[in-house]
Amino acid sequence: MSYLDAPPEPIGTFLDWYDEAVRRGAPFADAMTLATADGNGRPSARTVLFKGVVDGCVSFVSNFDSRKGRELAHNPAAALVFFWPALGRQVRFEGIVTRQLGAWASPQSEAIVSRAELEAAVEAARRRFAGRDVERPPNWGMYLLAPEYVELWISGDHRLHDRFAYRRDGDAWRGERLAP
Ligand SMILES: Cc1cc2nc3c(=O)[nH]c(=O)nc-3n(C[C@H](O)[C@H](O)[C@H](O)COP(=O)(O)O)c2cc1C
């Protein structure tokens, strides 16, 4: 499918594409690459799972003390990328990330000695919460990326891909077609 004109705004189109990816059974339809950068501008990237659009922001959950958490605390500018090969579509988001809320067992991204150490921590958490509800760990919660830039990419024949770039303009989006 190709588009003659840019869809009027990107978030609804992204959600339509996401629903389509899920409906068509695209593997890991909810997996997205999150890129952050440290204080020296050195980037790092990893996969996280999409948890929905909340007030126009793209959400994911993670450990606040992880490498990504530390980088975001220092530099909240980040990028997210979805790629659904089965649909031939990519969506890019760039913006500022905020924490929404404040794992017991996993000091994510800290060096650990062994799998046994991890299993011992899980066992300790199991004993701690025996017979009661597990509370959300204080260092694990939701992040929200408020998009300032969104790009929709649609694979086309003969490398004639469609690319639509959107920039935030107050409450509206300004879109333009980019050369592939
Ligand atoms: C398919 C997939 C989904 C993942 N989902 C998440 C997630 O939602 N949140 C998260 O913190 N890590 C998730 N991870 C693990 C991260 O990719 C990463 O290994 C971890 O968060 C530590 O990253 P960091 O050291 O850069 O902070 C996922 C990994 C894969 C392969």
Side-chain angles (χ1 to χ4, degrees):
M1 173 186 184
S2 82
Y3 287 80
L4 283 180
D5 296 308
E9 65 81 44
I11 305 295
T13 306
F14 156 68
L15 285 170
D16 289 346
W17 288 10
Y18 174 69
D19 287 346
E20 192 177 334
V22 171
R23 250 195 343 268
R24 287 171 56 178
F28 294 101
D30 54 349
M32 52 188 186
T33 302
L34 165 70
T36 56
D38 70 14
N40 296 318
R42 184 177 285 257
S44 65
R46 78 289 288 152
T47 310
V48 293
L49 297 180
F50 170 60
K51 295 294 179 187
V53 169
V54 180
D55 293 335
C57 297
V58 184
S59 68
F60 56 94
V61 296
S62 193
N63 185 306
F64 300 141
D65 301 327
S66 64
R67 177 175 175 191
K68 74 182 89 50
R70 293 194 304 268
E71 293 187 355
L72 287 169
H74 203 265
N75 173 10
L80 287 167
V81 184
F82 284 85
F83 174 46
W84 298 295
L87 280 69
R89 290 176 187 162
Q90 172 182 254
V91 183
R92 298 167 56 171
F93 295 95
E94 294 167 23
I96 297 297
V97 173
T98 52
R99 260 163 62 161
Q100 198 194 39
L101 297 166
W104 290 108
S106 173
Q108 192 178 44
S109 305
E110 303 267 307
I112 52 173
V113 175
S114 65
R115 171 117 203 137
E117 186 184 323
L118 184 61
E119 286 168 5
V122 171
E123 187 46 41
R126 205 191 311 280
R127 281 198 300 273
R128 176 175 185 167
F129 292 109
R132 61 190 179 99
D133 288 344
V134 177
E135 296 150 28
R136 181 205 300 272
N139 58 349
W140 182 269
M142 186 168 277
Y143 282 101
L144 299 171
L145 181 138
E148 293 164 354
Y149 176 85
V150 183
E151 189 187 309
L152 306 173
W153 184 98
I154 305 137
S155 172
D157 293 336
H158 313 296
R159 300 178 61 87
L160 288 179
H161 313 302
D162 289 314
R163 285 179 72 191
F164 301 111
Y166 298 83
R167 276 175 212 287
R168 257 238 172 272
D169 183 11
D171 285 342
W173 287 99
R174 237 173 241 294
E176 62 185 346
R177 181 183 275 276
L178 300 182

